[in-house]
Amino acid sequence: MKYHLITLGCQMNLSDSGRLTTVLNDAGYEFTKNEEDAQVLGILACSVRQKAIDKVYSRIAKWNKRKNNTNLITFISGCILSADKEKFLKLFDFVFQMSEVTQLPEMISQYGVTSPASIKNSINSDINQFWNIKPQYNSSFEAFVPIQNGCDKFCTFCAVPYTRGREVSRPSSEIIEELKSLVDKGYKSITLLGQNVNSYGLDKNGREISFADLLRKIGELGTQTTNKFWLYFTSPHPRDMNDEVIDVISKYECLAKQIHLPLQSGDDKVLIRMNRKHNLSKFRNIVDKIHNTIPEATIFTDIIIGFNGETDEQFENTVEAFNEFKFNMAYIAKYSPRPGAASSRWDDNVPDEIKKNRFERLTENLRGHVFEYNQKLVGKTLTVLVLGRDRKDEYLTGLTEGKINIRFRSDNLSLVGKFCEIKVISNASFSLEGELLTASTSIFV
């Protein structure tokens, strides 16, 4: 029997899909990229964004229509709010938490029996059992490793605490074991995943190491191997980011010099309404520490514009924050209510046209700062991890250690998944162009 899986949402869902795939493969099911060939159809959903939920309804309507002519089994899991779950129970054959994924083959074999997983309330009940599943990675050189599940921050714009529950840290011994296995297999880019990675271990009341100590252990692993790799993490929260984490990153070559630090707004009053529990001064201190300790580090951020009640003056404060911090990249989102989040009960009172104008202005502001930084790289030789073919067939594309996009002329697909030395020859705002010098080995130099 063949199955097809659709993964929506963030990198955490992508990581979860690797473990779900292992469960189905071990049970004898065969994956197919063509959903028309599948008898089992599943979705890893994301209730955090309404667009993702709209895609779920569109797809299940199509699948249920197909049931008129063929036998199909459908299931859904992932980040799902209770209100969405109640609706999905009427549309899908099975609805379950990812922590209960090991029960899926039995559900399918007993098709027609109501799944007990669909009515359980405990989101994290079997999360450790889930983490123990050996995942099927979606790449031979990039991997995502979960280190925690859930979030305790309750930002008013976010539904994650209601879809994934409270924070639970994965045992560090398991994380290190998975990391070592990936490094031994030659993986080049590894990302630690969590809703708030730098609060790792805090839920264990001293029975687990801190996030800084986890990074230190991974750094030591990097010094003991001849396989070159870059270790990233996402996402940290400014409230929990401390000097020790930054100091550890500076000391180990394998810990990538790129930090994603979500600001969300450059106005303190907006940050209070967002329940971010950090202010601009706290954020500034962190950025100053990064620049002073790791001057070569790139800094990425997340920004929401048009949040409930955001005034022109408050938006201008965000523009000023961009001018001050000169981010290397920012993921800018126009605010839209997230069902289940606290702010969804408030009036979405910033008109769409104003959001659009603010989005365009902030994007252009970012473009200028990125161009200025990238221009300084022209003429330099950078190590690049080649990801694949560019949109133009005669080029390959990759990322620098700081996650700056760069393409270079080559049709040699054997370079994909390898480190190469690329000389930067031109700058196009959000990306670079270079020329291939040499393909690196996997050995540190």
Side-chain angles (χ1 to χ4, degrees):
M1 184 177 288
K2 295 182 178 180
Y3 72 93
H4 179 78
L5 180 63
I6 296 173
T7 303
L8 305 173
C10 67
Q11 293 169 330
M12 185 67 80
N13 268 10
L14 182 63
S15 172
D16 288 349
S17 71
R19 286 172 166 78
L20 191 154
T21 297
T22 292
V23 169
L24 290 174
N25 288 352
D26 288 350
Y29 297 97
E30 179 185 351
F31 175 76
T32 176
K33 292 183 178 180
N34 186 359
E35 67 180 66
E36 300 296 328
D37 294 335
Q39 295 80 47
V40 177
L41 298 166
I43 297 177
L44 287 189
C46 173
S47 283
V48 177
R49 296 189 180 276
Q50 188 59 44
K51 286 185 179 179
I53 291 300
D54 292 342
K55 290 180 181 179
V56 172
Y57 285 117
S58 175
R59 193 55 59 99
I60 189 59
K62 176 182 177 182
W63 291 349
N64 284 337
K65 186 176 181 180
R66 279 183 57 198
K67 281 188 174 184
N68 294 328
N69 302 312
T70 186
N71 291 324
L72 295 176
I73 298 173
T74 61
F75 69 82
I76 188 168
S77 188
C79 294
I80 306 175
L81 290 164
S82 298
D84 289 325
K85 184 184 296 184
E86 291 300 317
K87 298 175 184 177
F88 291 155
L89 284 168
K90 301 174 183 178
L91 299 173
F92 288 85
D93 296 313
F94 305 117
V95 181
F96 58 92
Q97 299 291 348
M98 283 305 300
S99 57
E100 298 153 339
V101 69
T102 55
Q103 302 174 32
L104 180 57
E106 182 179 357
M107 297 179 205
I108 296 173
S109 68
Q110 298 179 7
Y111 179 54
V113 178
T114 301
S115 166
S118 67
I119 57 175
K120 285 190 176 183
N121 294 319
S122 176
I123 294 176
N124 285 318
S125 59
D126 296 307
I127 192 66
N128 285 293
Q129 181 181 3
F130 172 72
W131 280 328
N132 285 333
I133 300 170
K134 186 176 180 180
Q136 298 288 323
Y137 301 103
N138 296 301
S139 166
S140 61
F141 59 91
E142 289 185 295
F144 300 98
V145 177
I147 69 169
Q148 74 178 176
N149 190 66
C151 184
D152 290 348
K153 291 298 182 283
F154 291 92
C155 299
T156 56
F157 57 79
C158 183
V160 166
Y162 309 102
T163 60
R164 285 188 174 268
R166 305 300 293 269
E167 289 179 8
V168 178
S169 297
R170 184 183 181 190
S172 58
S173 58
E174 296 179 7
I175 297 169
I176 297 300
E177 182 180 355
E178 185 172 354
L179 257 294
K180 188 176 186 307
S181 174
L182 289 167
V183 172
D184 288 345
K185 292 175 182 176
Y187 276 76
K188 307 295 193 302
S189 175
I190 304 170
T191 304
L192 305 181
L193 294 181
Q195 272 67 42
N196 180 21
V197 290
N198 47 357
S199 66
Y200 173 82
L202 297 182
D203 59 299
K204 299 301 184 183
N205 298 316
R207 291 177 285 109
E208 190 51 270
I209 61 177
S210 68
F211 183 59
D213 286 334
L214 179 64
L215 291 180
R216 187 176 288 108
K217 281 181 173 289
I218 297 171
E220 288 298 322
L221 173 63
T223 66
Q224 298 164 11
T225 181
T226 56
N227 291 340
K228 180 181 177 68
F229 68 96
W230 288 334
L231 189 284
Y232 300 92
F233 56 84
T234 192
S235 288
H237 193 295
R239 179 187 173 189
D240 296 324
M241 177 64 83
N242 57 48
D243 289 354
E244 186 182 6
V245 168
I246 299 169
D247 288 336
V248 171
I249 295 171
S250 71
K251 293 177 180 177
Y252 293 97
E253 188 173 359
C254 68
L255 303 183
K257 307 308 182 281
Q258 183 269 350
I259 297 177
H260 191 114
L261 192 66
L263 174 60
Q264 302 300 2
S265 173
D267 183 84
D268 284 346
K269 290 184 178 179
V270 174
L271 289 173
I272 290 172
R273 291 203 302 276
M274 289 178 168
N275 195 36
R276 289 292 288 169
K277 299 179 181 177
H278 71 85
N279 56 28
L280 202 62
S281 177
K282 164 75 172 176
F283 193 90
R284 180 179 295 113
N285 290 338
I286 297 170
V287 172
D288 287 346
K289 171 67 177 178
I290 294 171
H291 285 322
N292 291 332
T293 309
I294 321 171
E296 71 274 29
T298 56
I299 302 178
F300 289 22
T301 198
D302 295 331
I303 291 288
I304 296 173
I305 54 97
F307 188 68
N308 304 71
E310 183 188 63
T311 65
D312 290 341
E313 180 181 359
Q314 289 169 338
F315 172 70
E316 291 300 328
N317 287 336
T318 296
V319 174
E320 286 304 310
F322 266 50
N323 290 333
E324 176 182 356
F325 300 126
K326 301 182 186 299
F327 298 110
N328 297 96
M329 182 52 64
Y331 301 101
I332 305 170
K334 292 179 286 187
Y335 172 73
S336 61
R338 304 286 184 260
S343 66
S344 67
R345 301 190 294 269
W346 308 340
D347 288 337
D348 182 13
N349 54 10
V350 178
D352 288 342
E353 187 63 25
I354 291 179
K355 290 179 183 177
K356 179 175 180 292
N357 291 338
R358 291 177 182 175
F359 177 89
E360 291 174 352
R361 183 179 168 196
L362 203 58
T363 299
E364 284 306 305
N365 180 287
L366 173 69
R367 186 188 305 276
H369 296 310
V370 172
F371 183 89
E372 180 183 351
Y373 178 92
N374 287 355
Q375 188 64 29
K376 297 175 183 177
L377 299 177
V378 175
K380 293 186 177 181
T381 298
L382 305 176
T383 301
V384 172
L385 177 59
V386 183
L387 302 181
R389 194 183 293 279
D390 186 65
R391 286 176 295 180
K392 290 188 175 181
D393 288 345
E394 65 269 28
Y395 286 88
L396 296 178
T397 186
L399 289 174
T400 69
E401 180 180 356
K403 288 197 171 182
I404 297 174
N405 287 292
I406 184 168
R407 71 177 188 179
F408 59 95
R409 189 179 294 274
S410 176
D411 59 1
N412 184 2
L413 291 178
S414 69
L415 296 178
V416 174
K418 295 181 180 179
F419 289 112
C420 292
E421 299 303 308
I422 306 293
K423 182 178 180 179
V424 182
I425 58 175
S426 66
N427 171 25
S429 291
F430 291 118
S431 64
L432 300 169
E433 184 166 330
E435 59 182 13
L436 176 66
L437 298 182
T438 60
S440 303
T441 66
S442 62
I443 309 299
F444 279 120
V445 292

